[in-house]
Amino acid sequence: MQTTSIEFTHPSYLPHILIASALIFGFYLALIWRRNRALRRHSLLNQGRIFSAVRLLAFSCAVALIGLGIGFLLLKPYLRSREALPEYEPLHIVIAVDASLSMLAQATADPCGPSRRDVAADEVDAFMTSLEAKRTDMVGLVVFARFGYRVVPVLTSDYRLFMRVFREVMGEDFIQWGFLQGTNHWDAALESLKVFQSDMARKRVLVILTDGEPDGPSKILNERREQALKALSEFGEVSLYLVGIGDPGTRYPIPLARDARRCPIEYYVQTKGENIGQFLLTAPDTVELGILAEELGGTYRHSRTGSELRDMLQDIVERERVSIGTKYHETYHDLTTYLIWTILTLLMVAVITKSP
C-alpha cells in the first residue's frame, strides 16, 4: 500500500503563514473596496480605475495567494511517498552452471540464433538485475564440466561482479579449451556446498543449470556421487533445484566455429565409435535429469528454449523466501520549482485583473 502527502521542511511556521495570508487578503480587499467607493463618489462620469466586484475579488485572491506561495517557499515543501513492502529474510543462493561443449549448441531451431550458453547468460543477467533491486540476497557461482570450479567462491551482494565473472568463464573459448570435458553434477553440488557458510542461519538455495545428464569417466562420477550424497546429508537444509536447458525433442549439432553474423561455419564431429565423422548431436534427456534431481534430493524443472529460465529463477526465489515483517520505502520530490511557476502565473493574473 502506498500513501502520498505534501510536507514541509519547516512545518512549525505553517500557522503563521496561513494567518499572515488571510490578513493580507482581508486587508487588501478592504483597501481596494474603500478606494473604489471613493473613486465612484468623486467621479460624476464613473471614470477612473474602478474595479468591478469580480475583478476586485480575483485581484485580492491573486495577491493573497502570491503571499501564501512565497511563505510556502520559505517552508520548503516536498512530496513524500511511503510504500509498505514485505520484508524477507535474505537468501544465500549458489548458481552452478554447466560449461560442457553441448552448451554451445543452439537453443532454438534457428541455427544462427542464441546458443544455450547465450540464453543462460542473458537470463541469469536479468535475474541478477532483479536481485539488485532488493539488494538483500547473496550469491555465489560454480561452473562445472568434468569437475566443478568455484569461480565466485564467497557469497556476495555485488551482482555486477557476479555477472562479469559469469560471462568471462562461460565464454566460448573457455568452454572449448578451458575445461576438461564432461558433465559432473555431483562435483557441482560438492563445490557449491563449499561456497555456502554452514554456520550462517540463512536459507540456502542451490540452482544447477544444465543441458545434459551426467557424462564422464565412470570412476570419477561414482566417487563424486558418493561424496556429494554424503555431504548433502550432513550439511543441513539446502533447497536444490535442477533446471534443464534445451529442446528435449530435437538433437542439435555443436558449433566449432562461427562467422561474424554468429552463424555456424563448422561443427564438432564424432571421433570415436560407429558414427565417426558424423556431427556430434545433443539434446537433454528429461527423464535422466529428473532421476538425477530426485537422487540429489531436489526438484527438476525444464526450460525448452531458455526464454522461461528467468521466470523459473524468479519463481524459485519467491517460493523460498521467508517473510519476516514489513519495511517502508520512502521517496521525496521537491516542489519548490512548481511553486515558483505558480507564483509567476498568479503575478500575471494580478497584473491582468488590475489593468483598466
Side-chain angles (χ1 to χ4, degrees), residues 24 28 34 44 52 64 84 140 183 194 206 227 286 344 352:
I24 291 173
Y28 213 90
R34 183 177 178 183
L44 297 176
S52 67
T183 310
K194 295 175 184 178
L206 170 58
Q227 294 175 358
T286 56
L344 292 175
I352 292 171

Side-chain angles (χ1 to χ4, degrees), residues 221-232:
L221 292 178
N222 292 332
E223 179 183 328
R224 292 297 193 272
R225 176 181 176 276
E226 293 180 5
Q227 294 175 358
L229 293 177
K230 181 181 179 182
L232 284 168

Side-chain angles (χ1 to χ4, degrees), residues 269-321:
V269 296
Q270 298 275 5
T271 57
K272 298 179 182 179
E274 298 178 358
N275 299 322
I276 188 169
Q278 297 184 11
F279 288 148
L280 186 62
L281 302 177
T282 174
D285 188 330
T286 56
V287 175
E288 290 293 331
L289 288 175
I291 294 172
L292 174 63
E294 186 176 353
E295 196 169 2
L296 284 167
T299 302
Y300 178 62
R301 296 187 176 186
H302 198 87
S303 173
R304 294 177 61 88
T305 64
S307 59
E308 314 98 324
L309 180 57
R310 185 189 322 179
D311 293 335
M312 286 184 180
L313 294 174
Q314 291 280 14
D315 183 63
I316 287 170
V317 168
E318 294 304 321
R319 283 175 176 269
E320 297 299 328
R321 289 200 185 283

